[in-house]
Amino acid sequence: MISSLLILTVLLKMEGSLSNVAPEIKSVTRPTSSPKASKRLSDSITNFTVQCANCLKWRFIPTKEKYEQIRETIVEQPFVCKMAHEWRPEITCDVEPDLVKDDGSWRWAIDKPSIPKPPPGWQRILRLRAEGGTKFSDVYYVPPSSGKWLRTTREVERYLSEHPEYIGVTMSQFSFRTPVPSEKNYVRKRLARSSASPDTGEAAMPVAAIPISWIAPDQIEDLQFGEEGSSHVEAPAES
DNA sequence: GCCACCGGTGGC
DNA sequence: GCCACCGGTGGC
């Protein structure tokens, strides 16, 4: 099997096309009377695509739940266009991908395979950080019937031990792995731990701001709709 | 006061 | 270099 077939891609929709702004919630909010609750339960990811193992075209996945299901087993069961029949009966490997109008507001990240589906009723939420920060994103788990956001495996363990009603929920159902942004400069490089200049006592020079770097439209096209053998198909993080 | 977001840092 | 963990804090 060609390794690139295992790539999962998350299509990130950013609000505010030319400024360094925090991501806004766009389209996955669920109906609620509380704006605050709506925000808290929303992902900053609005679209999901997966590459067909046969034709290498990228297909949109209609729901986060379906995407999580495919991601969980994509190593053992690579995605193929035929699977899209469930929601798009007309999709075959011969059908061209849906085009995304590139208005400069889309961002891409390569997701990790084999992330388990969250336990029933739990939400796994990926929140993007602002460009130029020290990290790209954070993963949170939200238990059913609770607004508590769990940030680490330790917090999940503690929560489960304090809530024995979650019978059958195990730590193997949680993963805090995050996707990798396609834009190499999205995350600020960390300074070397001993890079300060202690002899002079001077503060480290501020790092020049990294210009906003958008994926050029042609690169986006290649990433999304790469022809077979496209050199722009990225290699997976692990082999 | 709460919490979403962020940076720092230790471990690998 | 990457990742997990967690404390700080600004905005609400």
Side-chain angles (χ1 to χ4, degrees), chain A residues 160-173:
Chain A
L160 290 178
S161 69
E162 293 170 353
H163 295 80
E165 64 268 26
Y166 293 112
I167 300 169
V169 175
T170 66
M171 293 308 299
S172 66
Q173 295 173 286

Side-chain angles (χ1 to χ4, degrees), chain A residues 70-121:
Chain A
I70 293 169
R71 179 176 59 188
E72 180 177 39
T73 59
I74 193 167
V75 173
E76 302 81 10
Q77 186 179 10
F79 175 83
V80 291
C81 287
K82 194 166 60 180
M83 296 179 186
H85 288 185
E86 185 179 327
W87 58 89
R88 290 278 303 276
E90 73 276 19
I91 291 291
T92 69
C93 287
D94 296 325
V95 174
E96 290 304 305
D98 294 330
L99 294 177
V100 174
K101 186 172 182 297
D102 177 41
D103 56 2
S105 65
W106 295 96
R107 285 192 163 134
W108 293 81
I110 309 300
D111 207 354
K112 308 282 175 60
S114 303
I115 293 175
K117 278 186 301 183

Side-chain angles (χ1 to χ4, degrees), chain A residues 9-14 46-49 58-61 88 96-108 215-225:
Chain A
T9 299
V10 183
L11 191 55
L12 312 174
K13 176 73 171 176
M14 306 291 289
T46 61
N47 286 278
F48 306 93
T49 64
W58 293 86
R59 301 301 185 189
F60 281 94
I61 309 302
R88 290 278 303 276
E96 290 304 305
D98 294 330
L99 294 177
V100 174
K101 186 172 182 297
D102 177 41
D103 56 2
S105 65
W106 295 96
R107 285 192 163 134
W108 293 81
I215 300 178
D218 58 331
Q219 291 176 295
I220 291 178
E221 298 250 338
D222 279 337
L223 180 58
Q224 290 180 58
F225 317 124

Side-chain angles (χ1 to χ4, degrees), chain A residues 5-216:
Chain A
L5 303 181
L6 302 180
I7 296 174
L8 295 158
T9 299
V10 183
L11 191 55
L12 312 174
K13 176 73 171 176
M14 306 291 289
E15 184 73 18
S17 59
L18 286 176
S19 58
N20 182 12
V21 296
E24 297 282 340
I25 309 311
K26 192 67 178 179
S27 68
V28 291
T29 54
R30 44 196 78 219
T32 170
S33 58
S34 163
K36 190 174 183 181
S38 172
K39 184 182 179 186
R40 292 202 60 212
L41 288 177
S42 299
D43 251 310
S44 48
I45 310 298
T46 61
N47 286 278
F48 306 93
T49 64
V50 180
Q51 190 181 35
C52 173
N54 291 333
C55 68
L56 304 186
K57 295 187 177 79
W58 293 86
R59 301 301 185 189
F60 281 94
I61 309 302
T63 66
K64 179 184 176 184
E65 290 71 25
K66 176 58 65 178
Y67 176 79
E68 289 176 332
Q69 177 188 331
I70 293 169
R71 179 176 59 188
E72 180 177 39
T73 59
I74 193 167
V75 173
E76 302 81 10
Q77 186 179 10
F79 175 83
V80 291
C81 287
K82 194 166 60 180
M83 296 179 186
H85 288 185
E86 185 179 327
W87 58 89
R88 290 278 303 276
E90 73 276 19
I91 291 291
T92 69
C93 287
D94 296 325
V95 174
E96 290 304 305
D98 294 330
L99 294 177
V100 174
K101 186 172 182 297
D102 177 41
D103 56 2
S105 65
W106 295 96
R107 285 192 163 134
W108 293 81
I110 309 300
D111 207 354
K112 308 282 175 60
S114 303
I115 293 175
K117 278 186 301 183
W122 291 65
Q123 286 197 65
R124 184 182 191 272
I125 293 181
L126 181 66
R127 301 300 291 269
L128 300 193
R129 294 192 176 190
E131 185 172 3
T134 59
K135 293 185 181 65
F136 176 61
S137 62
D138 296 291
V139 171
Y140 302 92
Y141 279 91
V142 183
S145 309
S146 169
K148 185 172 180 57
W149 284 35
L150 306 174
R151 303 186 295 170
T152 65
T153 55
R154 289 187 187 181
E155 290 188 6
V156 172
E157 284 174 336
R158 190 180 311 126
Y159 186 88
L160 290 178
S161 69
E162 293 170 353
H163 295 80
E165 64 268 26
Y166 293 112
I167 300 169
V169 175
T170 66
M171 293 308 299
S172 66
Q173 295 173 286
F174 298 88
S175 169
F176 286 89
R177 284 181 292 168
T178 56
V180 179
S182 292
E183 296 166 77
K184 298 280 185 291
N185 290 333
Y186 189 95
V187 176
R188 169 167 34 105
K189 290 282 185 286
R190 179 184 171 183
L191 293 172
R193 290 182 203 186
S194 57
S195 67
S197 40
D199 291 340
T200 65
E202 292 176 5
M205 291 295 289
V207 178
I210 300 169
I212 296 172
S213 106
W214 298 94
I215 300 178

